[in-house]
Structures are given as C-alpha cells and as structure tokens.
Amino acid sequence: MLKKTLVVAVVLTLAIGLGLFAVKAQSGDLEVFSWWTSGGEAAALQALFDAYAADYPDVNIVNATVAGGGGSAARPVLQTRLAGGDPPDSWQIHPGWELFGQYVDPGYVEPINFLYEEEGWNDVVPQGLRDIMTVDGNIYMVLVGVHRGNGFWYNKPLLEENGITIGDTLSAEEFTAAAETLQAAGIAPLCMGDNGIWANAQLFENTLLGTVGPENYMKLFAGEMAWDDPMVISAIESFGAMQDYLNTDHTSLSWDQAVKALMDGQCAFNSMGDWAYGEFVAAGKVDNVDFGWVSHPGTAGSFMIVADGFPLAAGAPNRDAAVGWLRTLGGLPAQEAFNPLKGSIPARTDADRSKFGVYHNWSMDSFAADALVPSWVHGSAAPAAFQQTLNDAVTLFIVDRDAAAFAAALVQGAVDAGIAG
Ligand code: GAL
C-alpha cells in the first residue's frame, strides 16, 4: 500500500514537473508592441521584460515601439499591421471601448478566460476591471497597471519660493489665485507639452470632470446629459482660461518634456495622468520633496481610470510565448516591479503595499474609495471616433476660443459616434 502511494507520488511529481517544464520551455521571438518610449515608460517596460525573461529565458523579446504619448502615433501603425494580417504577439491596449471597438469586434484578439481560471485572477482582479475587458463572457486582456488620469503635479520648491502652499485638495478658485501669483512673478503656471494634442485634450477631460462631477460625467457618455449643457460650456470656458497660463513653447513639447520643464522650474503645475510620476522617478526626484500632487482642481473624490494591458493576438506568430507573456504580466512579481516605475497601481488587489511609496499608497486609497470613471482621451469611455472629435475640437478651440462651437462639435460627434441619447 505504502509502495503504491509512493509510486503514485513519484509519477505525479514527474508529471507536474514535466508540465511546468513544457510551460517554461519556450523559444523563438516574442514581439511586444507599445508606445512606451519616455524615460519612465521605457524603464517600466523593461521591468516587464525582465520579469518575462526570468520566467522564460529562452525567448527573444522584440521590443516594437512607436513613440508618441497616448498612443496616437502607435495605434494607426498597429491597425495597418493587424488589417494586413501581420500582428505582433501582444500589444498595449486600454480596456473599454478601445479594446472592444478596435480589437475584439474585428477579431484581432483571442479570449483568455483559460488564463484567468488557471492563474486564479478572477479572485484578485476587481470585478469592475474585469467587466471592462469582458464581452459575452469572454475576457480579452491582462492588465498590468491602473493609472489615475486626474493628477495635478507641482514643483514643490518653486511654489514655496513663491509663497504658495498646497493642501490636500485644490479648488479651481485656489488654482486661479496661485496661477495669478505665479504669472505676476514671470513663471508659467501650467506646464503643457501638446505636440500630441491629446495632452491638452486631457486638460479638458480633467476640467470637465472637475466641473460637472463624476455622475454627470458618466451621464454625458451614456447619452443622458447634453454635450452643450451649461455645465459643459462652463468647463469649456474654464479650460479656455487655463490656456492663458501655459508655457509659451507648449506646442513644440511632448508630455514628458513638459514634466521635465516642471522639474526644472520653468513652469509650476501639470495636469497629467500618473505616468508623470514615472518621469519623476526616472529623474531621481522624491515624493513630497521635489514634487507634490493633488487631484486636478475639483476632481478630488474621483479616480479617472487609464488602465494598461495586453491581449493575446489572434494568429499570434508565437502563441506559446504570448501566452507565457500574459502569465507573467498577470503575476505579482511583474506588477510589483512595473508599477513603482510607471506610476500606476497594480491591477491585482493583493500586492504588498509596503513595496510602494507615498504616492502609490495615496493612489491605492483613492482607487478603493473614490468614484471610478473611464478616460475619454485614453480610449475607454467612448468610441475612437468620439475621441477624435475631442482632439479636433480642442485643436480648433485653442485657436478660436469659441465655446459654443466646441460644444456643438461634441453634440454632433456624439451623434455620429452613436452615443447620443
Ligand atoms: C496612456 C497610457 C499610459 C501612458 C500615457 C502617455 O495612454 O495608458 O501608460 O503611457 O499614455 O504615453
């Protein structure tokens, strides 16, 4: 009896060992496509590659990037490849409309329910996040991190030198007062790098959220509130007033160059998702010493979700390696290595908080307690066509400052995109 048990145990151990070996013994190339090229983004991406290489040392990682914050340059290149039947093995995606409209509907991605079941991710990834990656019971991506889009960063020493103290929150009126003080001292109050227009569109998105509040923000995208509602007009006007506070060279800078300008004391505040935090880390800056943060004016109590993840390409050139890549990404070691460098928080709720600094713990608290709203600028809240409507409307508005025309463009864009009530 004992002998039999022993034999069974040995056979089982061997089988499990061989099974694991089969998973790990992968080779060939793994092509991963993203727009993570800034200092902080590249360092964080490398942490994912390192985690993957530790799990699957024989695979050659091909890092395919197309520079340009927010992916505005990368996505068209990717679409051309996908339409031509030349997919990378995996690529960067935002959940929600971007995932569903651009990748699930055309059949470019495979469901990966089996991974969620095998790895136990249904127990550690919040339902709300899984929902925005799931259609008809099929889940299509693995999140590596969740960015908070409504960050408002500032150069702490610069504000102190100018007698400005920032509390736990900042109202629109308090920001205006600080901005006037800075402007009088010859300092550009608001850092902007909008050579990719999305960065200025994000200033609008945050201002909209701060003006209408999270419930109305959701109503707008559900077709339950008009895009030319007086509150939206008011947000457009506040956004217009902020344009007068920008650094004069904003159209020639990228988002990360604007963060650098903040660090260098050339301007004071920056309304940006917490990938900006990745730039501070990459430059060796210290939380609450060199820089500080609050929610974008009026948005305390809301968390603008800009989540990042990766799918399994349908027809992936190296499917086994791509599945292994996703297994690594969903694991704790990868998420605990990546997020401190990227600025986002893990998509898993079981990460060790002591491995994260002051900012990350603040953001985790916000995620747990605040109203969660999806980002329009980063593809989750609305179809791609309406994202484009916003970018075009912002481009025009910066020149003509016509709030009524801006709102009219949004009204029409919502109809065209099929999300009007
Ligand atoms: C977002 C993305 C972030 C960050 C940012 C700037 O769309 O989700 O991870 O990379 O663009 O490039």
Side-chain angles (χ1 to χ4, degrees), residues 35-36 41 69-70 92 94 147 198 255 275 306 308 342 378:
W35 60 87
W36 284 338
E41 290 175 335
Q92 188 183 349
H94 298 123
H147 279 295
W198 68 273
W255 71 270
W275 42 93
V306 186
D308 288 310
K342 189 68 169 65
H378 297 278

Side-chain angles (χ1 to χ4, degrees), residues 329-342:
L329 297 188
L332 263 185
Q335 300 213 354
E336 289 179 348
F338 169 81
N339 288 292
L341 302 174
K342 189 68 169 65

Side-chain angles (χ1 to χ4, degrees), residues 131-373:
D131 284 350
I132 53 176
M133 303 187 277
T134 303
V135 193
D136 296 335
N138 287 322
I139 191 158
Y140 287 94
M141 59 189 275
V142 176
L143 286 179
V144 287
V146 185
H147 279 295
R148 190 174 190 276
N150 52 316
F152 206 61
W153 310 88
Y154 56 88
N155 180 318
K156 206 165 177 194
L158 183 66
L159 291 195
E160 276 161 13
E161 280 161 29
N162 286 277
I164 299 165
T165 313
I166 306 292
D168 291 343
T169 61
L170 187 68
S171 67
E173 295 71 27
E174 285 166 336
F175 169 66
T176 304
E180 292 296 324
T181 304
L182 290 160
Q183 213 159 37
I187 300 158
L190 208 43
C191 307
M192 171 63 71
D194 62 353
N195 68 4
I197 195 61
W198 68 273
N200 215 330
Q202 184 168 295
L203 177 65
F204 176 69
E205 171 171 283
N206 284 338
T207 306
L208 178 69
L209 176 63
T211 309
V212 306
E215 275 174 30
N216 287 326
Y217 179 87
M218 296 305 288
K219 281 187 186 169
L220 284 165
F221 292 100
E224 292 163 7
M225 183 173 159
W227 282 99
D228 56 359
D229 185 279
M231 277 196 273
V232 177
I233 303 279
S234 164
I236 296 172
E237 285 167 355
S238 301
F239 172 64
M242 286 187 184
Q243 298 299 314
D244 295 332
Y245 294 141
L246 304 185
N247 44 302
T248 50
D249 58 350
H250 63 94
T251 56
S252 63
L253 300 186
S254 57
W255 71 270
D256 49 314
Q257 287 172 326
V259 178
K260 174 143 193 334
L262 183 155
M263 292 190 249
D264 292 346
Q266 289 160 13
C267 46
F269 292 92
N270 181 221
S271 184
M272 187 52 60
D274 50 18
W275 42 93
Y277 183 89
E279 299 306 302
F280 293 124
V281 170
K285 303 293 181 190
V286 178
D287 298 31
N288 278 332
V289 175
D290 302 305
F291 66 96
W293 64 87
V294 281
S295 295
H296 178 94
T299 68
S302 295
F303 187 116
M304 176 75 76
I305 293 185
V306 186
D308 288 310
F310 290 82
L312 174 58
N318 191 347
R319 189 179 181 281
D320 283 352
V323 169
W325 164 247
L326 299 178
R327 265 187 223 283
T328 296
L329 297 188
L332 263 185
Q335 300 213 354
E336 289 179 348
F338 169 81
N339 288 292
L341 302 174
K342 189 68 169 65
S344 39
I345 57 173
R348 302 175 61 118
T349 49
D350 58 346
D352 179 355
R353 272 185 173 237
S354 70
K355 291 185 176 157
F356 294 85
V358 185
Y359 174 71
H360 280 85
N361 276 278
W362 181 89
S363 182
M364 286 180 203
D365 287 343
S366 166
F367 185 80
D370 291 345
L372 305 176
V373 295

